[in-house]
Amino acid sequence: MVLEKDTKIVIDFLKENHQDMNERLLEVIESSQNGIYIISDQKISFSKQAKKLLNVKNEISKDSFYRRINLQDKLKVMRIINEKRKHHKPYEVIYRYKVDDEYIWIKEHGICSYQNSDKRLALITNITNQVEQDKKLHRLAFYDHITKLKNRNYFNKDIHFLINYHVPFALFIMDLNSFKLINDNFGHLFGDYILKSFSSRINNELKIKEEYDFYRLSGDEFAMVFPYLTKQKELERIINQLNHIFETPFQHEHYQISITPSIGISVYPKDSTNPTTLLKYADISMYRAKNESFNNYCFFNKNYYQMLLEENSIENHIKQLIKKDLLKIRYQPIFDITNMEIICLEALFYDDRYNLEKVFDIALKSHLIVLLEKKIIETVLHDIKQYHHMLPSNIRITINLTPKTAEYIDVFALIKNYMKNHKVDGSRIGIEITEQYFVKDEKKLNDLIKKLQTLGIKIYLDDYGMGFSSVRNLTYLNYDHIKIDKRMIGNVFHNDKCKLFIKSMIQYSKEIDCDIIIEGVETKDQMEFIRKLGVHYIQGYYLSKPKNINDILENDLRKCDEIVKDTIS
């Protein structure tokens, strides 16, 4: 070994100025917290500190020393030392050494003699406390403290390892159904008990010959990885076992709690070769299983994923329309066919990029419907203010409102405020309550209707006859008009039940003194059929499509008589 220049200077200085250098060196060695040993002639001599560290009293044989080293560690130590000896280099090894029936961790730095390969000088340090501290840090970093399972960090490390070595595997992502409800009702300590019980049941009762790894990622989200298992039948066999395990409720004190997992599955490399993407695909499949599937599990499906991407694109599109004030509103007239006058204009959101039904379905799922309808109301009242001098006083503009919006915001205060800001009278406004969507709180909705009517606003029960239409709503809600869904008139000549439904609704409306409006009239025959039944009000493409408000004001309102003559002839 070649010493550093400065080190050689120090040694030379000591030799010149201290004749008792050997004694001084011994003092330094004996006062050090580290131990030193020397191997010579198959015997090992120890410094005072080394004897204390290793609990030896005198020199011992080389074989005796090695017998106390952990077998696995010994093989590694000998390999490293032999390798370094060949190249005349110092070495560093860490190993477990048995002292009083317990292993301590030793870190050893050493160098072999150039002249005699059997001779070796080594500096040893007890690093047991450091190793134990490192183990604690490792447990904190890579294990979940509640379930003692591997955590997300370990999961990421394992997944990358499998992918780097091209090992095919299936990934299960699971969460516990109704876990939030359990936490909210019984507290987090009980929730922790459920998490521990869930993980221990799987570890103790899942009897499969294949190896797997089990992780808690966060909250009630768990992951399982099955190397070399990728076939659907094999994976469904495991899922059936998991479901069987959780058929028995959890027992805690005097509570019995039934817990079942929802499981999403993705497969490497079939679904993706990217670890983040695999996790995302399994996560998507798990939420699909939770919300849509009859079973409690779903395999990743590319078509479903493409649909989600489209839905996300539509969501972002809606957000941009609202944020940048780019909503387009078109208006479709409602006609009184006794004199062919326009009595109402229905405000309809228009989008030239996506199908409107799809837009509204996605807005309803994501609660964007509230922001969308709020913006539509504001835009329509702005139009009423802007064109009030051109609109005949007998024409209302109706605005669609889903029950969901009424659940989440104070619609009455919102409309009243907009009416005040835009100086619009209630006699100009109608609200169409969309009947095809489920009414969650009938009383709250009816109270809103009554309050809106105090402002002079008329209420229209829209799309009646489809979706969640209810006889209960006919008898309970305080509406002014009923609009029959367009699919009824569309099938009137092909389905006698539709014809009978329309006739019965007309009779019902006469009995309660409520006007009926037939939507979706697209042919002359349909209009004549309605006219003969004594219905006065219709809406549909036969008389007018939805149009820009300027087109209606400049053409339709001025030329109603000419339009009527053309449509009847």
Side-chain angles (χ1 to χ4, degrees), residues 29-92:
I29 290 172
E30 295 301 342
S31 63
S32 170
Q33 294 298 311
N34 300 314
I36 293 176
Y37 74 78
I38 298 174
I39 297 180
S40 179
D41 298 326
Q42 300 300 310
K43 296 285 186 180
I44 302 181
S45 301
F46 300 94
S47 69
K48 182 179 178 181
Q49 186 63 25
K51 290 178 181 178
K52 185 178 178 181
L53 286 178
L54 303 179
N55 194 24
V56 294
K57 295 181 179 179
N58 300 302
E59 67 177 18
I60 61 175
S61 68
K62 182 178 176 183
D63 289 341
S64 177
F65 178 80
Y66 274 114
R67 278 198 299 271
R68 298 187 186 185
I69 297 177
N70 175 274
L71 180 59
Q72 289 179 324
D73 294 348
K74 180 168 66 174
L75 298 174
K76 181 181 70 173
V77 166
M78 293 175 69
R79 178 177 56 80
I80 293 173
I81 291 174
N82 289 334
E83 183 68 26
K84 296 296 183 179
R85 180 188 289 125
K86 290 177 187 177
H87 299 91
H88 304 292
K89 289 185 177 180
Y91 66 88
E92 177 184 300

Side-chain angles (χ1 to χ4, degrees), residues 74 78 154 180 321 332 397 413 480 491 510 543 554:
K74 180 168 66 174
M78 293 175 69
Y154 218 133
K180 184 180 184 302
L321 290 178
Q332 186 176 30
I397 293 186
D480 300 295
N491 290 308
K510 288 177 180 177
L543 293 183
E554 294 173 6

Side-chain angles (χ1 to χ4, degrees), residues 427-444:
S427 61
R428 289 287 199 175
I429 305 169
I431 295 294
E432 299 195 15
I433 306 293
T434 310
E435 242 285 301
Q436 64 175 303
Y437 301 113
F438 178 65
V439 178
K440 190 175 181 181
D441 189 336
E442 293 173 337
K443 185 180 183 307
K444 183 178 179 181

Side-chain angles (χ1 to χ4, degrees), residues 92-137:
E92 177 184 300
V93 289
I94 295 175
Y95 53 86
R96 285 163 288 182
Y97 187 88
K98 185 173 280 190
V99 176
D100 296 331
D101 296 324
E102 287 187 3
Y103 281 110
I104 63 171
W105 285 89
I106 297 294
K107 181 183 238 184
E108 178 177 318
H109 299 270
I111 188 166
C112 299
S113 170
Y114 299 147
Q115 289 79 23
N116 186 343
S117 62
D118 289 333
K119 286 188 176 182
R120 187 166 87 240
L121 173 68
L123 178 73
I124 57 173
T125 309
N126 185 343
I127 60 167
T128 304
N129 290 337
Q130 180 185 334
V131 169
E132 291 303 320
Q133 186 64 31
D134 288 346
K135 283 182 178 179
K136 287 180 183 178
L137 293 174

Side-chain angles (χ1 to χ4, degrees), residues 195-356:
L195 294 174
K196 286 186 279 190
S197 300
F198 175 83
S199 57
S200 63
R201 267 204 196 179
I202 291 178
N203 278 332
N204 295 333
E205 299 182 32
L206 183 59
K207 307 298 183 186
I208 59 173
K209 61 183 179 181
E210 298 86 1
E211 291 186 3
Y212 66 90
D213 285 296
F214 191 16
Y215 312 83
R216 181 186 176 212
L217 301 185
S218 64
D220 64 326
E221 187 177 36
F222 294 82
M224 299 182 78
V225 174
F226 299 89
Y228 299 105
L229 283 182
T230 58
K231 293 181 180 178
Q232 185 165 330
K233 284 187 178 180
E234 295 174 328
L235 299 172
E236 285 179 338
R237 169 174 55 83
I238 295 170
I239 291 167
N240 290 334
Q241 280 200 46
L242 289 171
N243 289 334
H244 178 70
I245 287 170
F246 294 105
E247 284 177 356
T248 304
F250 291 94
Q251 185 74 40
H252 184 64
E253 295 178 350
H254 42 272
Y255 298 114
Q256 275 197 338
I257 305 292
S258 293
I259 290 287
T260 56
S262 292
I263 306 170
I265 306 107
S266 62
V267 175
Y268 168 83
K270 180 173 75 72
D271 295 327
S272 177
T273 57
N274 181 280
T276 304
T277 304
L278 281 167
L279 179 60
K280 179 176 72 174
Y281 286 174
D283 218 31
I284 288 169
S285 303
M286 184 266 291
Y287 279 105
R288 185 184 181 192
K290 182 180 286 290
N291 298 321
E292 297 182 11
S293 178
F294 175 76
N295 297 311
N296 68 322
Y297 66 93
C298 269
F299 289 86
F300 174 70
N301 181 284
K302 285 187 178 179
N303 292 332
Y304 179 78
Y305 180 61
Q306 289 301 320
M307 184 193 75
L308 286 184
L309 291 179
E310 184 184 20
E311 287 187 0
N312 185 64
S313 177
I314 292 173
E315 277 190 35
N316 290 332
H317 176 63
I318 295 170
K319 289 175 184 176
Q320 290 302 309
L321 290 178
I322 296 169
K323 182 179 179 181
K324 297 181 179 180
D325 200 14
L326 297 174
L327 287 184
K328 296 178 183 177
I329 303 295
R330 290 190 176 181
Y331 296 86
Q332 186 176 30
I334 299 172
F335 287 86
D336 181 346
I337 57 174
T338 60
N339 55 22
M340 297 313 295
E341 288 186 355
I342 295 174
I343 59 162
C344 287
L345 298 174
E346 181 181 1
L348 297 167
F349 167 60
Y350 168 74
D351 188 74
D352 50 12
R353 184 172 172 185
Y354 294 106
N355 175 276
L356 279 180

